[in-house]
Amino acid sequence: MANLQQLNVDTIKIDRAFTGTVGTASVKVSIVPQILDLADALKLGVIVEGIETEEQRDYFAAADVSYAGQGWFISPPLTFAQLVIFHKERRGL
């Protein structure tokens, strides 16, 4: 963690192992707010992997960080061409 500030990164990714704990009694869920606080303090974007429920989506949407989510709740896996169409549709282009 001490070296994180020295890395030339602008985004961190939260693994689905942590995302899956949101809304549960798992001990790992207590790490998620600290990851988000760290990202906020370092002005890092966040990619949240494995969003599979509305509760998980709402949890990260309520966080005070810039985030992008991926997972079955948002979309099944897409080819690049499908991804371009997906983004155009979501942005109303």
Side-chain angles (χ1 to χ4, degrees), residues 13-34:
K13 186 172 187 177
I14 297 178
D15 188 86
R16 65 181 288 142
F18 296 109
T19 305
T21 65
V22 170
T24 71
S26 172
V27 173
K28 289 182 186 177
V29 76
S30 65
I31 297 171
V32 175
Q34 284 76 21

Side-chain angles (χ1 to χ4, degrees), residues 9-75:
V9 298
D10 60 3
T11 305
I12 60 173
K13 186 172 187 177
I14 297 178
D15 188 86
R16 65 181 288 142
F18 296 109
T19 305
T21 65
V22 170
T24 71
S26 172
V27 173
K28 289 182 186 177
V29 76
S30 65
I31 297 171
V32 175
Q34 284 76 21
I35 295 170
L36 295 173
D37 288 345
L38 178 65
D40 184 47
L42 297 176
K43 307 292 187 243
L44 299 173
V46 178
I47 296 175
V48 182
E49 179 182 55
I51 296 176
E52 297 181 358
T53 68
E54 186 173 2
E55 183 177 17
Q56 291 167 344
R57 190 231 18 224
D58 292 348
Y59 178 88
F60 290 102
D64 193 23
V65 295
S66 173
Y67 91 101
Q70 62 186 65
W72 283 96
F73 185 80
I74 298 166
S75 171

